[in-house]
């Protein structure tokens, strides 16, 4: 679930968990002199300029507000080009992205909720095109194949889940719930880039906008675990979930992918872990958060592995640190494996959750620098 729909209470919870991460955000402030300065406060989103040339764009974000914030770059139709979450009060973050000529909006979201404070920007075609490193072109092609593979794997897994719901079999549906989400969670930033799909399939109850109908996985999760029953409405919702995801599956292969987008997406997956999975907010009834956690990490590691040949050449110290931190986080996760899945997250104590959170934070900081390493020419 994207943090842009966090409630104030959930944002506060995430901020507590991410104190270590936002406290070191200053380390990620590696934007160059040509960066677009983004000054975020509790009531403003000020940009140093609103027109710049196409190509690699650096955003130097400084959160001068009192709340944890996030910054999104939106293309037409609220398609997410890139995002950076969990920028703590008084800290800075550098975002490297790639933008084609066109009209965009840059949004600051104090408290990590709502549509944000938006500024319209124009990207002109005046940028000097640089030939893409063949290794990066191959990485994008391989990642596109991976994205489609995960989407294709999601449909039969979701069908098993929704068939159980439509059959009225609560236990069978519970057994398939976490499995049905794995493919989606591995490619969540790409999945969320289609702005109309995510609110239909992955929104939590506390993330609903006024007047929004609650549909998707988490509505069914509540019925299965809290209410313990399946009625006619749930059976209809199961059919709709499958239909919505089949629609997404048909479109996901057309998602716009770039090397910096892959790198930023890997960081976004760690943000997803920090703001939802570690806190236990994501699957609050089923307590299957570790399944989602593991899938997010797998997806981030896949994107990194494809970009690593170029990143290691440009910044060997960074990739050495990333290799170490990915391994450390995976070791922590492996402690909670049970059979072909994971233990229920409500059995993981506060101290153990803190250890998981620390491992996520230790990986998230260097991962935030991957896009800059990839963009070096």
């Amino acid at each position: 679930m994207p943090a842009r729909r966090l409630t104030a209470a959930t944002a506060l919870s995430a901020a507590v968990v991410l104190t270590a991460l936002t406290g070191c955000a200053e380390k990620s402030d590696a934007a160059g002199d040509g960066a677009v300065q983004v000054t975020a406060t509790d009531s403003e989103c000020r940009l140093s300029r609103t027109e710049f040339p196409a190509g690699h764009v650096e955003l130097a974000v400084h959160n001068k507000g009192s709340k944890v914030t996030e910054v999104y770059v939106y293309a037409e139709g609220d398609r997410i080009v890139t995002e950076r979450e969990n920028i703590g009060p008084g800290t800075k973050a550098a975002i490297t992205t790639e933008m084609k000529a066109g009209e965009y909006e840059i949004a600051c979201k104090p408290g990590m909720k709502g549509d944000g404070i938006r500024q319209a920007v124009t990207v002109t075609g005046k940028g000097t095109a640089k030939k893409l490193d063949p290794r990066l072109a191959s990485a994008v092609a391989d990642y596109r194949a991976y994205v489609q593979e995960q989407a294709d794997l999601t449909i039969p897994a979701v069908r098993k889940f929704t068939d159980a719901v439509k059959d009225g079999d609560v236990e069978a549906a519970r057994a398939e719930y976490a499995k049905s989400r794995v493919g989606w969670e591995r490619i969540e930033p790409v999945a969320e880039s289609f702005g109309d799909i995510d609110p239909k399939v992955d929104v939590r109850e506390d993330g609903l906008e006024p007047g929004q109908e609650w549909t998707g996985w988490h509505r069914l999760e509540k019925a299965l675990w809290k209410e313990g029953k399946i009625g006619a409405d749930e059976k209809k919702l199961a059919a709709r979930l499958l239909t919505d995801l089949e629609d997404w599956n048909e479109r996901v292969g057309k998602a716009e992918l770039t090397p910096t987008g892959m790198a930023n997406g890997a960081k976004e997956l760690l943000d997803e872990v920090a703001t939802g999975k570690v806190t236990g907010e994501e699957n609050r009834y089923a307590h299957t958060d570790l399944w989602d956690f593991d899938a997010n990490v797998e997806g981030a590691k896949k994107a990194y592995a494809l970009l690593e040949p170029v990143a290691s050449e440009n910044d060997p110290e960074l990739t050495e640190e990333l290799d170490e931190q990915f391994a450390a986080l995976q070791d922590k996760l492996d402690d909670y494996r049970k059979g072909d899945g994971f233990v229920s997250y409500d059995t993981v104590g506060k101290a153990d959750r803190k250890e998981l959170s620390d491992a996520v934070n230790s990986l998230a900081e260097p991962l935030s620098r991957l896009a800059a390493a990839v963009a070096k020419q």
Side-chain angles (χ1 to χ4, degrees):
M1 187 208 80
R4 61 185 175 275
R5 292 192 301 277
L6 289 173
T7 63
T10 305
L12 177 60
S13 176
V16 171
V17 170
L18 289 162
T19 298
L21 177 58
T22 56
C24 65
E26 197 84 28
K27 297 179 184 177
S28 301
D29 183 31
D33 293 339
V36 178
Q37 304 295 320
V38 181
T39 304
T41 71
D42 295 345
S43 59
E44 290 184 295
C45 188
R46 298 195 303 271
L47 308 182
S48 60
R49 49 199 169 106
T50 57
E51 183 174 317
F52 37 86
H56 286 135
V57 176
E58 290 184 282
L59 304 178
V61 182
H62 188 182
N63 182 7
K64 293 186 176 181
S66 64
K67 303 175 183 178
V68 175
T69 196
E70 55 191 3
V71 172
Y72 282 73
V73 178
Y74 290 115
E76 184 179 359
D78 271 6
R79 178 178 65 80
I80 300 171
V81 176
T82 194
E83 63 183 277
R84 180 60 53 82
E85 302 176 0
N86 311 311
I87 304 170
T91 64
K92 299 178 181 181
I95 306 169
T96 301
T97 189
E98 191 169 339
M99 299 172 72
K100 296 180 179 179
E103 301 298 323
Y104 298 82
E105 288 184 322
I106 293 178
C108 304
K109 300 188 178 182
M112 302 197 300
K113 61 178 181 176
D115 291 333
I117 304 162
R118 302 194 178 201
Q119 297 289 346
V121 299
T122 299
V123 178
T124 69
K126 299 175 184 177
T128 301
K130 295 181 180 180
K131 187 176 180 181
L132 188 63
D133 185 314
R135 295 171 297 176
L136 293 178
S138 178
V140 170
D142 289 347
Y143 189 65
R144 186 177 298 281
Y146 174 74
V147 166
Q148 188 63 64
E149 176 189 51
Q150 296 307 311
D152 290 344
L153 289 171
T154 296
I155 301 306
V158 169
R159 186 174 288 113
K160 287 184 72 174
F161 169 62
T162 56
D163 281 351
V165 174
K166 287 184 280 187
D167 289 342
D169 191 333
V170 171
E171 290 307 313
R174 286 178 175 178
E176 299 299 330
Y177 171 76
K179 299 174 189 176
S180 75
R181 293 175 52 79
V182 170
W184 170 276
E185 292 290 333
R186 285 175 178 151
I187 58 170
E188 195 163 5
V190 179
E192 291 174 355
S193 70
F194 298 93
D196 61 325
I197 293 294
D198 183 77
K200 296 177 183 177
V201 304
D202 201 29
V203 68
R204 301 194 307 248
E205 187 172 16
D206 58 355
L208 294 170
E209 300 292 347
Q212 180 183 350
E213 180 187 4
W214 191 19
T215 60
W217 270 301
H218 295 300
R219 170 64 183 86
L220 293 169
E221 176 202 0
K222 182 177 181 180
L224 291 168
W225 272 273
K226 185 173 183 180
E227 298 161 7
K229 61 182 181 180
I230 297 172
D233 287 344
E234 285 71 34
K235 293 179 181 181
K236 290 178 183 177
L237 287 170
R240 179 169 174 179
L241 173 64
L242 180 59
T243 297
D244 287 338
L245 287 168
E246 287 174 334
D247 174 33
W248 162 70
N249 181 51
E250 289 295 318
R251 289 193 272 162
V252 74
K254 301 175 184 177
E256 186 171 335
L257 301 176
T258 65
T260 55
M262 290 167 58
N264 288 326
K267 172 60 168 62
E268 290 161 25
L269 283 165
L270 265 291
D271 288 342
E272 290 286 345
V273 173
T275 57
K277 284 71 174 185
V278 166
T279 62
E281 295 285 335
E282 184 73 3
N283 297 290
R284 63 192 63 180
Y285 305 112
H287 305 299
T288 54
D289 303 271
L290 289 172
W291 286 77
D292 287 10
F293 188 141
D294 184 63
N296 283 161
V297 173
E298 283 186 2
K301 191 172 183 180
K302 178 65 176 181
Y304 166 62
L306 292 172
L307 297 170
E308 191 273 339
V310 171
S312 63
E313 186 175 287
N314 291 338
D315 194 340
E317 291 184 1
L318 174 62
T319 54
E320 183 178 349
E321 183 177 4
L322 285 170
D323 289 341
E324 179 182 335
Q325 297 301 340
F326 265 116
L329 179 56
Q330 194 62 63
D331 284 345
K332 290 289 183 186
L333 265 173
D334 288 345
D335 289 341
Y336 301 99
R337 292 192 182 276
K338 181 179 181 181
D340 64 351
F342 292 87
V343 301
S344 180
Y345 200 53
D346 59 344
T347 67
V348 179
K350 186 175 181 180
D352 292 328
R353 292 189 185 197
K354 177 63 165 56
E355 286 188 0
L356 286 168
S357 176
D358 289 345
V360 170
N361 293 345
S362 295
L363 173 58
E365 194 283 319
L367 199 56
S368 71
R369 293 183 267 133
L370 179 60
V374 167
K376 287 181 182 178
Q377 296 283 343

